[in-house]
Amino acid sequence: PVSLLENWESEINRFFSAKFGKGLSLYGDNLKQRKIPKHLISPQLRNDYGITNLLEDNWLGGADIVLTTYETMRDLEFSLGRVDWSIMICDEAQKIKVPTAMVTKAAKAQKADFKIACTGTPVENSLVDLWCLFDFIQENLLGSLSEFNKEYRRPIEKKDDEDSAIIDELRQLIEPQVLRRMKHDVAELPAKHEVNDCKNIEMSTLQRTLYKQVSNDCRSLSEQGHKGVMLTALHSMRMICAHPLKLQEQATIKDSPKAEWLIDTLEVIKQKDEKVIIFTEFRPIQVFLKRLLLERFGLNVTTVNGDSNTNSRKGLTRQGIIDKFQEVNGFNVIVLSTVAVGFGVNIQKANHVIHYTRSWNPAKEDQATDRAYRIGQDKEVFVYYPSIAADDFETFEIKLDKLLSSKRSLADDMLKPNVELTQELIQSIY
């Protein structure tokens, strides 16, 4: 992924000496300098084959290691496909899990003697993800997709009586091609603690009023036959729990008990002189947290999301922002998007991880937590899932926490799909 280019460059410089070969980052200016101008590409290639991106013949320039993005590989499939690669490595290989996607087809079109797919989540949605990765690694090992669906996917996902036997058969088939090691197998890391006393933050009067209003409106609109109101209502409930101040002009910080909890928690962490990562994918909440932390702690907190660039000409890059955060001594906070920066980067200087809002997928949450809990971490890590609760009913956040906890128990088995919540489960939250 493009967001990890700098991290990969940094790790290559760290672990590889010059004797291992010359590296080339095929992105940005390096890519522009090596592309053939579009007007010089023949009309036949453009019109008959749809080829609008090509590299010059000598684009490699003596490089032995080429680092590039999935999107560049997709756009330059034909130029890259002319090279006889010794090794092809796909990091965060779930990017090529969809059989019909152009990026997947481009990856499988490359000529390589040895292929590696690196991912912590080989099965995110269904066993088709697994088939697609193995079709890249060793074509036909699991047969065609239709054969795989018939022999393995459908019986396993139906949970027939023979489910365990079929899973064991599939496991034995792929075992020679899999190297799966958990952190505790390869490193002695400090303890990781889930802080549970923040999972029962009492709902404020304003939140209760707003919550009841959304619930009543949803029921009324549903009875009238309006479609899609449930998902809209759930999003509103989610925002009421996390950020009620946005919905009421006269509201104060007292109306947002989660924000109050955050301030109190950060005060304690500040006394310890330690660093904090706050995860939320919602832009309004990122902006709110940035303003809150400036007012309460005088911190000009950096937010890293999908807008954060990877091109140093536009200012600090994403990796540069994270490096700067890590270099500052003492207490500090960084706000990250679970979606945009939930994987690949290293932030071991932080040892407190706060999931201010939750992901629908526990695997993505755990990947986000592991930005801090990874090799190189020398402090105990504390993980927080602050949740708004009520004494007379289960709120959105409490129901979501229970569902994610039940699904998280499957996460260690790579053949058990750790799927995002289905429509049925979403309805149970409502």
Side-chain angles (χ1 to χ4, degrees):
V2 62
S3 60
L4 305 187
L5 274 176
E6 283 186 287
N7 188 59
W8 263 88
E9 284 184 300
S10 174
E11 297 299 314
I12 287 172
N13 291 334
R14 238 179 108 197
F15 290 104
F16 275 61
S17 65
K19 69 178 182 179
F20 285 103
K22 179 183 175 184
L24 167 66
S25 180
L26 192 63
Y27 185 77
D29 289 339
N30 283 338
L31 175 58
K32 288 179 182 177
Q33 293 168 7
R34 289 164 171 77
K35 287 179 70 173
I36 296 175
K38 289 190 177 183
H39 69 275
L40 295 180
I41 298 175
S42 72
Q44 183 180 8
L45 289 178
R46 290 201 308 268
N47 300 329
D48 295 350
Y49 300 99
I51 298 175
T52 57
N53 289 286
L54 286 174
L55 294 171
E56 296 175 341
D57 288 341
N58 61 345
W59 69 270
L60 267 170
D64 301 295
I65 303 169
V66 176
L67 180 63
T68 194
T69 70
Y70 285 100
E71 291 74 22
T72 302
M73 175 193 65
R74 176 199 63 203
D75 295 342
L76 293 169
E77 173 186 340
F78 297 101
S79 289
L80 296 178
R82 295 177 62 191
V83 180
D84 292 317
W85 303 104
S86 298
I87 302 174
M88 180 176 177
I89 304 167
C90 289
D91 188 22
E92 300 297 345
Q94 63 271 18
K95 290 274 285 187
I96 57 168
K97 70 182 180 183
V98 180
T100 55
M102 291 181 67
V103 67
T104 305
K105 293 178 179 179
K108 293 179 180 180
Q110 302 305 309
K111 297 181 294 181
D113 296 334
F114 191 71
K115 296 178 181 179
I116 300 173
C118 303
T119 176
T121 50
V123 180
E124 280 193 327
N125 297 318
S126 79
L127 284 171
V128 171
D129 302 350
L130 186 79
W131 175 87
C132 200
L133 291 180
F134 274 92
D135 192 54
F136 162 72
I137 296 165
Q138 185 175 339
E139 189 177 0
N140 293 324
L141 176 68
L142 301 181
S144 67
L145 180 56
S146 60
E147 291 170 339
F148 178 79
N149 283 335
K150 179 181 177 181
E151 294 292 325
Y152 297 105
R153 180 193 172 192
R154 293 194 189 102
I156 290 173
E157 293 184 357
K158 282 182 181 177
K159 296 183 171 60
D160 293 338
D161 293 337
E162 299 178 359
D163 173 35
S164 59
I166 296 172
I167 287 180
D168 287 342
E169 180 184 325
L170 178 57
R171 208 185 303 277
Q172 290 175 18
L173 184 59
I174 66 175
E175 185 178 13
Q177 308 284 17
V178 175
L179 176 61
R180 183 169 174 83
R181 299 181 297 184
M182 310 304 283
K183 286 195 194 71
H184 53 71
D185 297 325
V186 297
E188 292 185 12
L189 288 175
K192 180 171 69 172
H193 308 279
E194 183 176 321
V195 181
N196 289 314
D197 60 8
C198 62
K199 286 192 173 184
N200 194 30
I201 302 172
E202 186 177 353
M203 177 177 266
S204 70
T205 302
L206 172 63
Q207 285 175 314
R208 183 178 288 271
T209 301
L210 293 170
Y211 206 93
K212 185 176 180 179
Q213 180 182 327
V214 168
S215 180
N216 291 339
D217 288 347
C218 179
R219 285 192 175 90
S220 175
L221 290 170
S222 295
E223 290 170 359
Q224 295 172 29
H226 291 273
K227 296 181 179 180
V229 294
M230 183 182 295
L231 290 177
T232 302
L234 285 176
H235 179 72
S236 297
M237 291 175 179
R238 192 178 200 179
M239 295 303 287
I240 288 166
C241 289
H243 190 29
L245 309 188
K246 184 175 185 290
L247 306 173
Q248 182 64 257
E249 288 184 7
Q250 304 303 319
T252 68
I253 197 70
K254 294 290 184 183
D255 295 306
S256 181
K258 187 184 285 194
E260 278 199 299
W261 169 87
L262 179 64
I263 292 169
D264 293 341
T265 301
L266 292 179
E267 287 284 6
V268 174
I269 297 172
K270 182 180 179 182
Q271 298 305 313
K272 298 178 181 178
D273 231 17
E274 295 176 341
K275 287 183 170 59
V276 184
I277 303 172
I278 301 177
F279 280 105
T280 178
E281 63 191 83
F282 300 105
R283 301 298 176 89
I285 298 178
Q286 293 169 5
V287 173
F288 163 67
L289 291 174
K290 185 177 177 68
R291 185 176 69 249
L292 180 67
L293 296 173
L294 179 62
E295 292 173 356
R296 297 304 175 107
F297 295 94
L299 290 174
N300 187 13
V301 172
T302 299
T303 300
V304 185
N305 51 38
D307 292 337
S308 305
N309 65 77
T310 55
N311 191 329
S312 59
R313 292 182 305 172
K314 299 178 183 177
L316 273 180
T317 62
R318 187 172 306 183
Q319 188 64 42
I321 291 169
I322 291 169
D323 290 343
K324 186 177 179 181
F325 166 76
Q326 299 226 98
E327 289 165 2
V328 175
N329 292 326
F331 173 68
N332 204 355
V333 181
I334 191 168
V335 178
L336 306 180
S337 163
T338 319
V339 176
V341 206
F343 59 87
V345 298
N346 304 318
I347 318 179
Q348 299 98 323
K349 295 296 183 182
N351 66 310
H352 295 269
V353 179
I354 298 173
H355 292 274
Y356 199 80
T357 57
R358 308 295 298 273
S359 169
W360 289 110
N361 191 322
K364 286 184 170 61
E365 268 192 353
D366 292 342
Q367 272 199 318
T369 296
D370 285 349
R371 299 315 94 219
Y373 192 65
R374 57 201 301 107
I375 294 171
Q377 178 59 259
D378 57 8
K379 296 186 180 77
E380 292 187 352
V381 172
F382 298 88
V383 186
Y384 311 79
Y385 301 100
S387 305
I388 295 297
D391 56 8
D392 54 337
F393 68 95
E394 281 194 329
T395 65
F396 168 89
E397 291 193 332
I398 295 300
K399 287 189 176 184
L400 180 58
D401 177 70
K402 288 182 177 180
L403 284 167
L404 290 173
S405 295
S406 67
K407 291 163 65 60
R408 184 169 271 112
S409 64
L410 301 175
D412 285 344
D413 190 342
M414 64 178 283
L415 297 187
K416 297 283 188 178
N418 199 357
V419 300
E420 295 192 1
L421 300 187
T422 62
Q423 185 74 23
E424 182 180 348
L425 288 175
I426 289 173
Q427 288 176 345
S428 74
I429 290 180
Y430 181 73

